[in-house]
Amino acid sequence: MNDNKMTPTERRATWGLGTVFSLRMLGMFMVLPVLTTYGMALQGANETLIGLAIGIYGLAQAVFQIPFGLISDRVGRKPLIVGGLLMFVLGSVIAACTVSIWGIILGRALQGSGAIAAAVMALLSDLTREQNRTKAMAFIGISFGVTFAIAMVIGPIVTHALGLHALFWMIAMLATLGIVITLLVVPNAPNHVLNRESGMVKGSIRKVLANPKLLKLNFGILCLHILLMSSFVALPGQFENAGLPAAEHWKIYLATMLIAFVAVVPFIIYAEAKRKMKRVFVACVALILLAEVILWMAGAHFWTLVIGVQVFFFAFNLMEAILPSLISKESPPGYKGTAMGVYSTSQFIGVAIGGSLGGWLFGHFGAPEVFLVGALVAAVWLVVSFTMAEPPYVSSLRIVLSDAVLAVPNLEQRLKAQPGVASVFIVPEEKSAYIKIDSKVTNRGNLEAMIAAC
C-alpha cells in the first residue's frame, strides 16, 4: 500500500472541512460587492456606517481568531466549529430581519465572532497523517481563492434578484449546511494532535511577533486587505456612475477574476521554481500601487475602471498565493501554526481598517480620495517590500519520534548535519522533530530513513 495515498477518512476530512470553510467564506465575501449600493436603502445608512458594517466583521475575527484556536485544544474542535457556525447563523438571521444599518452592523459583528479557521485547521491536523497534511492544507488554501471568485459573482446576482435580506437568509442557510456537514460528514478525531505546524502554541505568540521578517509579511497582508475592503466601498458606486447598473457588476467581477486566476499561475511557478520570490512580491506591490492610481484617475470612465480592477485582482490573487508560502518559509521551526494565526489576525485587522477607513473617506470626501489614500498605503508597503530579504527556500516537516530515537545522543546535531536540512527543533514532550528542509536536496523519506538507522 502507498503510504502517501489518502485514506477514505482523510479524504472525507479534507473535503468535508474544505467545504465547511468555503461555505463560511462564501457567506463573508458575497456581501462585499453589494453592501455599498443596496445597503444605502437601509434606515440610517450612510457611507461611513456602510464601511463600518463591512469592517466590523474583520474586527470581530481579529479579536477571536487566536483565542478560539487555543480554546479548541480544551473543548474540542467540533464543538467550537459548530458553536462558531451557530454564531455566524445568528448574525446572518439578525442581518436578514433588520431594516436598519445598525442591525446589519450587529449581525456582521456576530458573524465575525464565530472565528473557526484555526479550529478547522487543527481538526484537519487531527484527522490527517503527516505525509498527507500538506496536500490537505493546500486544498483549503485553494478553496479560499475559488470561493472569493464565486462570491464576487453570486452576491450581486442574488441581491439584484431577491434583495439584500434574501442574501443574508441564503448566507444563514449556507452556514447551517456547514453545521450539518461538520456533524455528519467530517469524521470524529480520536485524539488531538499537538502539531505546531497547523495549530497555535500558547506562549509562543511573543516569539512570532518579535520576528522582523514575519512582521513585514504581516504588515503586507494587513495592507492588502485594507486596500481590498476600502476599494470595494468605493468601486460599486464608481461603476454605477460610469453607466453600469448594480445588477451588471457581477459580469466585471467574473471576467476579471477568471483572467486573473489563469494569469497568475505562471508567476507562482516562476517564483517558487526559479526562487525569485522577492522579485515577484515587489512587482505585485508595485502593480497594486498602479491599480490604485488607475482607479484614482479613472473618474467615471468605464474601461479605465475595468483596467484598474483587472490589474488589482491579478496582483491580489498572486499575493494571496505568495504570502502564506512566505510565512511558512520564514516562521521558526515549530511555530508555523502560531505564525499563521498571527498572520490571519493581521489579515482581519486589515479588513476592519479598510472597511471603516474606506467608508469614512467615501462619506466625507468621495471615491477618488479612497483610491488616493489606497495608493499612499500601497506606496508605503512598496518601500517596506524593498527592505525584505530573499526568503529561505525551505519547507516544513514534522516527524514523530519514538522513545528509543529520542534517547539517541546528539540527535538534533545529527539531523542538522544532514544535507538540505536548514534547521531542527525537537520537542521531547510532543515526541516530535520540526525540521525545515530544502526539498531540492532532501525529503521526508531520506530523513526518516536516517532516523530509523540511528
Side-chain angles (χ1 to χ4, degrees):
M1 178 182 172
N2 183 3
D3 285 340
N4 290 326
K5 186 177 181 181
M6 280 194 168
T7 65
T9 298
E10 287 176 322
R11 284 196 293 271
R12 274 178 61 203
T14 302
W15 282 97
L17 289 171
T19 303
V20 169
F21 188 77
S22 296
L23 288 172
R24 191 182 180 288
M25 298 307 287
L26 192 65
M28 168 189 153
F29 286 131
M30 280 198 297
V31 177
L32 192 54
V34 299
L35 201 55
T36 305
T37 48
Y38 293 91
M40 289 301 289
L42 294 163
Q43 290 179 10
N46 58 45
E47 290 86 353
T48 302
L49 293 179
I50 291 288
L52 179 61
I54 291 173
I56 200 166
Y57 179 97
L59 179 62
Q61 281 277 307
V63 169
F64 293 107
Q65 186 81 12
I66 290 176
F68 278 18
L70 295 172
I71 290 170
S72 75
D73 291 333
R74 288 174 172 258
V75 304
R77 320 297 192 201
K78 272 195 174 184
L80 195 137
I81 292 170
V82 171
L85 288 170
L86 284 171
M87 188 73 74
F88 190 87
V89 171
L90 176 61
S92 302
V93 170
I94 288 173
C97 294
T98 189
V99 294
S100 163
I101 185 61
W102 291 105
I104 296 289
I105 291 170
L106 174 61
R108 292 279 291 168
L110 288 171
Q111 282 182 327
S113 299
I116 63 168
V120 167
M121 290 301 189
L123 182 56
L124 192 64
S125 182
D126 294 342
L127 293 169
T128 53
R129 291 169 297 162
E130 193 67 38
Q131 60 266 39
N132 291 323
R133 195 161 297 135
T134 300
K135 288 184 284 188
M137 298 286 181
F139 177 81
I140 300 280
I142 292 168
S143 71
F144 181 91
V146 173
T147 300
F148 180 79
I150 293 172
M152 290 294 100
V153 176
I154 292 180
I157 293 175
V158 172
T159 309
H160 174 67
L162 303 172
L164 189 60
H165 299 295
L167 180 68
F168 279 109
W169 280 116
M170 180 179 175
I171 291 168
M173 287 189 290
L174 290 173
T176 303
L177 178 59
I179 294 173
V180 173
I181 292 171
T182 301
L183 294 174
L184 301 183
V185 176
V186 177
N188 292 312
N191 49 47
H192 294 333
V193 178
L194 183 51
N195 184 355
R196 293 163 174 260
E197 297 302 299
S198 57
M200 283 169 283
V201 182
K202 191 174 182 181
S204 65
I205 295 171
R206 186 176 298 176
K207 182 180 177 71
V208 169
L209 289 174
N211 187 310
K213 293 179 180 179
L214 292 176
L215 277 176
K216 289 176 183 179
L217 295 175
N218 291 329
F219 178 72
I221 194 65
L222 176 88
C223 290
L224 185 63
H225 282 262
I226 288 174
L227 295 169
L228 175 69
M229 293 297 159
S230 61
S231 295
F232 268 101
V233 169
L235 264 177
Q238 289 296 87
F239 273 124
E240 284 195 313
N241 292 340
L244 186 71
E248 304 292 312
H249 289 186
W250 67 271
K251 296 177 182 178
I252 300 298
Y253 301 136
L254 176 62
T256 53
M257 289 298 289
L258 285 176
I259 293 170
F261 265 121
V262 173
V264 300
V265 174
F267 292 92
I268 295 171
I269 295 171
Y270 172 76
E272 287 283 3
K274 300 295 184 182
R275 302 197 165 185
K276 299 292 185 183
M277 192 72 80
K278 181 184 176 181
R279 180 181 296 181
V280 174
F281 186 93
V282 172
C284 266
V285 183
L287 282 175
I288 290 171
L289 172 57
L290 175 62
E292 293 293 325
V293 171
I294 292 171
L295 293 170
W296 169 48
M297 299 176 65
H301 294 92
F302 174 75
W303 286 109
T304 309
L305 286 169
V306 172
I307 291 169
V309 171
Q310 183 66 79
V311 173
F312 182 87
F313 274 141
F314 170 79
F316 175 83
N317 286 342
L318 186 50
M319 195 61 83
E320 283 283 1
I322 287 175
L323 273 166
S325 175
L326 284 170
I327 290 285
S328 178
K329 288 172 170 45
E330 296 286 13
S331 60
Y335 292 97
K336 179 183 169 185
T338 306
M340 288 303 298
V342 174
Y343 168 85
S344 296
T345 300
S346 303
Q347 176 182 9
F348 285 114
I349 291 172
V351 170
I353 295 173
S356 304
L357 177 64
W360 184 82
L361 288 169
F362 191 33
H364 287 78
F365 301 101
E369 283 71 21
V370 175
F371 299 122
L372 176 59
V373 171
L376 294 174
V377 171
V380 173
W381 184 14
L382 183 61
V383 172
V384 172
S385 71
F386 276 114
T387 69
M388 291 170 54
E390 193 73 42
Y393 289 90
V394 293
S395 53
S396 301
L397 297 178
R398 172 180 175 267
I399 296 179
V400 178
L401 307 175
S402 66
D403 290 330
V405 171
L406 283 168
V408 172
N410 302 317
L411 176 62
E412 187 169 322
Q413 286 72 24
R414 293 172 72 171
L415 283 168
K416 285 180 179 177
Q418 296 300 303
V421 173
S423 56
V424 178
F425 178 48
I426 294 178
V427 188
E429 57 269 27
E430 297 174 22
K431 296 186 178 181
S432 299
Y434 296 91
I435 308 172
K436 294 216 162 192
I437 63 166
D438 184 338
S439 56
K440 288 189 175 182
V441 179
T442 190
N443 56 42
R444 172 185 292 276
N446 292 341
L447 293 177
E448 288 180 339
M450 174 261 167
I451 290 170
C454 287

